[in-house]
Amino acid sequence: MSKLPNLAVVGATGAVGTVMLEILTSRKNVWGEIRLIASPRSAGKRLSVRGEQVEVVALSTDAFEGIDVAMFDVPDEISAAWAPVAAEAGAIVVDNSGAFRMDPDVPLVVPEINPEQTRNRNRGIIANANCTTLAMIVAVAPLHREYGLKELVLASYQAVSGAGQAGVDALHDQLTRVAGDRALGSRTGNVRNAVGDDLGPFPAPVALNVIPWAGSLKDGGWSSEELKMRNESRKILGLPDLKVSATCVRVPVSRGHSISVHAVFGSEVDAEGAREVLRGAPGVILVDDPANGEFPMPIDAVGTDPSWIGRLRRSLDDPRALDFFVTGDNLRKGAALNTAQIAELIAAEFVPATR
Amino acid sequence: MSKLPNLAVVGATGAVGTVMLEILTSRKNVWGEIRLIASPRSAGKRLSVRGEQVEVVALSTDAFEGIDVAMFDVPDEISAAWAPVAAEAGAIVVDNSGAFRMDPDVPLVVPEINPEQTRNRNRGIIANANCTTLAMIVAVAPLHREYGLKELVLASYQAVSGAGQAGVDALHDQLTRVAGDRALGSRTGNVRNAVGDDLGPFPAPVALNVIPWAGSLKDGGWSSEELKMRNESRKILGLPDLKVSATCVRVPVSRGHSISVHAVFGSEVDAEGAREVLRGAPGVILVDDPANGEFPMPIDAVGTDPSWIGRLRRSLDDPRALDFFVTGDNLRKGAALNTAQIAELIAAEFVPATR
């Protein structure tokens, strides 16, 4: 094979799809045709990618004709129904939903960590990890390779864009109502009264608040988001017995997920050694100089490719434990960028090895 | 002794002092005179307490004449200089600063946990705990008594009012600038540009951001706030070997500190048993029904007395570990309320036991 492969972007008009078109435009071009697919409602729209205006076509079986690689940036139930259709039509699917991540016949791939798993695509489908897991795991993996990971205790600070554009709209609508009243935060119920019923996709106001909830309720009081962090971390690192406790919390940040990490290893660690490991790690930027105000934060990490890691300290009570803080752009590495990187690994299969 | 004791409030005009006057007005009156003391700059101001207008007097040695109990709600260095002066003048000092908390001759008291320690005041000074520690420890202590605490892994979500009124002002000034622009969060540097140099007491913009930093830099990369959570938890619970790793993070919340807690105990735990323990615990309110949107959040906990606890789950990988989320009002239980409660324990010493 030596032609450039043809790519389909399913869900091209959504929040992640929009970032995907930016990424496809800015990264090295490895694609023949790029076909944009969305719901029939969006068909006929023209979107810009690689400097060209491309007309969106409606999702259908025929839409995958001639397509070699299909990225899916759509809700779980749409992926569950249509990814197998695309695979049946001959496309290799890279799916950003949660529909296939824990399927034993579907690899869960982070190119910096387990690129070789792209080959084990028995169903013709490769899954992209959850956005919160991705930001964290890129920073944790090199430390695992050095010290042997045994346990993770995680607390997240998740941006509203993790719930799509509706989350961003809800936050800004609420902020507009509360920004001017600096006494508002001093009495119970005040913010609820000011915000009214305009909660968007969240169970409570998110302006001037933190909401310790993301996803749906599962056994034992865990949220689906918290279980994803546990199960996906285990699968990506190939550590089926890894101990993981995660608490997922929504914060009034537009974009950029952060995670406070307590990581326990099999051998002794030291903070400077860990920093040295991270300086050479792919997909990671070390930002760790608190005396000069340098630590990972959403307002800096957003719009960039790497996971930002900092605040590295060795536990004062356990020489095998490290504490640190990670921030990543939930729509780039957390979604569109990682999908693009996986798709590029597959694109390389279409090019002769001698090139 | 049978007269009502005389109380001094030092720092009556500050953020905590203001809440203190509200609390002294709303709680049972156990005081004779209430004298308001502040910097010479504020002397002569008249403030309302117990429905009366009281003139503020300047801090001086003479200001403590006839005072039985003196509450200090002032910065560390003012407490360090003046609390011993008040004690020398015969007052029992309840100090809300960090100046004396780790002094072995000064007890660190949370009335729901170790009220008996108020008697061990060799220096005539009793210390009030840090606001983040307080919200968390009130909920953790009853679980410790039931299950035997061994380790805490903590991640905080701290309100800007922890840095005083200047923190609240900075947040709202920044929110006013960013609320209307919903594209602002999508590019690195955008929020910094919109906010400009108006950072208030923080090292970075706090609107649309989280800042993994509170306090000053200590050995090993730890912040002073993180070390307080470790050292004060150990002292309050009487567990000098307790393992504690804390990460302290500032969030764009006006008032109400939250903490994600991973607690490891000496014996097996279960979530329903823990809930039962917490239902009967003093100073705690259990809010744990995520299916109905009930979990602890700053917008609800602010202005209330208890620590709100919820999201209780037993670890899926360790039957001795519980994960949960706590929120408390950092200016009430986190500061003024706990100080008032300690002072009331002392006031009771002035009243004959037969009453």
Side-chain angles (χ1 to χ4, degrees):
Chain A
M1 294 182 285
S2 68
K3 65 147 192 145
L4 291 178
N6 294 330
L7 175 72
V9 180
V10 185
T13 58
V16 175
T18 301
V19 175
M20 181 61 82
L21 300 192
E22 293 172 21
I23 285 175
L24 289 171
T25 302
S26 65
R27 289 177 73 86
K28 187 180 167 203
N29 180 38
V30 297
W31 304 107
E33 179 188 353
I34 295 185
R35 193 175 302 169
L36 307 185
I37 301 178
S39 66
R41 188 164 41 87
S42 296
K45 264 193 186 174
R46 296 174 71 84
L47 298 175
S48 175
V49 60
R50 296 188 298 189
E52 294 165 19
Q53 294 295 108
V54 177
E55 186 170 315
V56 175
V57 301
L59 180 57
S60 72
T61 306
D62 292 346
F64 296 101
E65 196 179 314
I67 291 297
D68 299 295
V69 179
M71 300 170 166
F72 277 68
D73 295 309
V74 294
D76 289 7
E77 61 277 14
I78 309 289
S79 277
W82 285 94
V85 173
E88 179 66 28
I92 298 163
V93 172
V94 186
D95 180 40
N96 189 37
S97 85
F100 299 98
R101 288 179 190 144
M102 299 315 296
D103 185 323
D105 288 324
V106 173
L108 184 59
V109 175
V110 181
E112 292 86 348
I113 303 175
N114 59 351
E116 73 288 351
Q117 290 293 324
T118 50
R119 300 277 181 173
N120 298 332
R121 49 182 191 253
N122 296 343
R123 295 189 62 180
I125 301 172
I126 298 166
N128 194 35
N130 169 269
C131 49
T132 320
T133 306
L134 265 171
M136 179 271 299
I137 206 78
V138 174
V140 165
L143 297 172
H144 161 57
R145 280 192 294 270
E146 184 73 14
Y147 300 115
L149 189 65
K150 297 294 180 192
E151 182 177 4
L152 290 171
V153 180
L154 309 168
S156 76
Y157 303 70
Q158 296 182 225
V160 294
S161 57
Q165 186 60 35
V168 178
D169 290 344
L171 172 60
H172 278 275
D173 288 349
Q174 294 175 11
L175 287 180
T176 304
R177 296 180 190 202
V178 303
D181 184 353
R182 53 193 67 193
L184 205 62
S186 62
R187 283 287 173 273
T188 181
N190 271 1
V191 172
R192 285 188 186 270
N193 291 340
V195 165
D197 294 332
D198 179 21
L199 301 182
F202 306 115
V206 67
L208 297 179
N209 199 24
V210 298
I211 307 174
W213 192 256
S216 57
L217 181 62
K218 301 294 177 187
D219 283 353
W222 295 90
S223 72
S224 55
E225 188 85 356
E226 290 159 353
L227 296 184
K228 284 177 187 175
M229 292 198 80
R230 177 169 177 264
N231 296 332
E232 296 180 20
S233 296
R234 290 174 157 198
K235 183 166 178 174
I236 293 165
L237 297 176
L239 295 173
D241 298 323
L242 183 67
K243 293 167 72 173
V244 183
S245 283
T247 299
C248 288
V249 180
R250 193 75 65 180
V251 297
V253 165
S254 180
R255 196 161 137 187
H257 285 358
S258 303
I259 305 99
S260 175
V261 182
H262 177 79
V264 185
F265 297 91
S267 60
E268 281 201 20
V269 295
D270 71 284
E272 195 41 48
R275 282 187 202 99
E276 201 50 45
V277 166
L278 291 164
R279 278 187 197 103
V284 171
I285 182 167
L286 181 69
V287 186
D288 196 8
D289 186 1
N292 289 307
E294 293 187 6
F295 16 71
M297 291 185 288
I299 58 167
D300 296 323
V302 66
T304 75
D305 286 352
S307 281
W308 295 45
I309 180 169
R311 294 298 327 280
L312 265 97
R313 299 95 75 203
R314 186 167 88 160
S315 165
L316 294 165
D317 303 311
D318 182 349
R320 302 171 304 118
L322 275 177
D323 292 271
F324 49 93
F325 198 76
V326 183
T327 304
D329 186 332
N330 50 302
L331 298 186
R332 287 182 68 92
K333 185 61 183 176
L337 175 64
N338 199 68
T339 302
Q341 289 171 314
I342 296 171
E344 289 167 5
L345 289 176
I346 302 165
E349 298 176 18
F350 286 76
V351 177
T354 51
R355 277 178 64 178
Chain B
M1 293 183 284
S2 68
K3 64 146 193 146
L4 291 178
N6 294 331
L7 175 71
V9 180
V10 185
T13 57
V16 175
T18 301
V19 175
M20 181 61 82
L21 301 191
E22 294 172 19
I23 285 174
L24 289 170
T25 302
S26 65
R27 289 177 72 87
K28 188 179 168 204
N29 181 37
V30 297
W31 305 107
E33 180 189 351
I34 295 184
R35 193 175 302 168
L36 307 185
I37 301 178
S39 66
R41 187 165 40 89
S42 296
K45 263 193 186 174
R46 297 175 71 84
L47 298 175
S48 175
V49 60
R50 296 188 299 190
E52 293 164 20
Q53 294 296 107
V54 177
E55 188 171 314
V56 175
V57 301
L59 180 58
S60 73
T61 306
D62 293 347
F64 296 102
E65 196 181 313
I67 291 297
D68 300 294
V69 178
M71 298 170 166
F72 276 68
D73 296 309
V74 294
D76 289 8
E77 62 276 14
I78 310 289
S79 278
W82 285 94
V85 173
E88 180 66 29
I92 298 162
V93 173
V94 185
D95 180 40
N96 189 37
S97 85
F100 299 98
R101 287 179 192 146
M102 299 315 295
D103 186 323
D105 288 323
V106 172
L108 185 59
V109 175
V110 181
E112 292 86 348
I113 302 175
N114 58 351
E116 73 288 351
Q117 289 295 324
T118 50
R119 300 280 182 172
N120 298 332
R121 49 182 191 256
N122 296 342
R123 296 189 62 179
I125 300 173
I126 299 166
N128 195 35
N130 168 268
C131 49
T132 321
T133 306
L134 265 171
M136 178 271 299
I137 205 78
V138 174
V140 165
L143 298 172
H144 161 56
R145 281 192 294 271
E146 185 74 14
Y147 301 115
L149 189 64
K150 298 294 180 194
E151 181 177 4
L152 290 171
V153 180
L154 309 168
S156 76
Y157 303 71
Q158 297 182 223
V160 294
S161 58
Q165 186 61 36
V168 178
D169 291 343
L171 172 60
H172 279 276
D173 288 348
Q174 294 174 11
L175 287 180
T176 304
R177 295 180 191 201
V178 304
D181 184 353
R182 54 193 66 192
L184 206 61
S186 62
R187 283 288 172 272
T188 182
N190 270 1
V191 172
R192 286 189 185 269
N193 290 341
V195 164
D197 294 332
D198 178 21
L199 302 182
F202 306 115
V206 67
L208 297 180
N209 199 23
V210 298
I211 307 173
W213 191 256
S216 56
L217 182 62
K218 301 295 176 187
D219 283 352
W222 295 90
S223 73
S224 55
E225 188 85 357
E226 290 159 351
L227 296 184
K228 285 177 187 175
M229 292 198 80
R230 175 169 177 263
N231 296 333
E232 296 181 20
S233 295
R234 290 173 157 199
K235 183 166 177 175
I236 294 165
L237 296 176
L239 295 173
D241 299 323
L242 183 67
K243 293 167 72 173
V244 183
S245 284
T247 300
C248 288
V249 180
R250 194 75 66 181
V251 296
V253 165
S254 180
R255 196 161 139 186
H257 285 0
S258 304
I259 306 99
S260 176
V261 183
H262 177 79
V264 185
F265 298 91
S267 59
E268 281 201 19
V269 296
D270 70 284
E272 194 42 47
R275 283 188 199 99
E276 201 50 45
V277 166
L278 291 164
R279 277 187 197 104
V284 171
I285 182 165
L286 180 69
V287 186
D288 196 6
D289 185 2
N292 289 306
E294 293 187 6
F295 17 71
M297 292 185 288
I299 59 166
D300 296 324
V302 66
T304 75
D305 287 351
S307 281
W308 295 45
I309 181 170
R311 294 296 330 278
L312 267 98
R313 299 94 76 204
R314 185 166 89 160
S315 164
L316 294 165
D317 303 311
D318 182 349
R320 301 171 306 117
L322 275 176
D323 293 272
F324 49 93
F325 198 77
V326 183
T327 304
D329 186 332
N330 51 304
L331 298 187
R332 287 182 69 92
K333 184 61 181 177
L337 175 63
N338 199 68
T339 303
Q341 290 172 314
I342 296 170
E344 289 167 6
L345 289 175
I346 303 164
E349 298 175 20
F350 286 76
V351 177
T354 52
R355 275 179 64 179

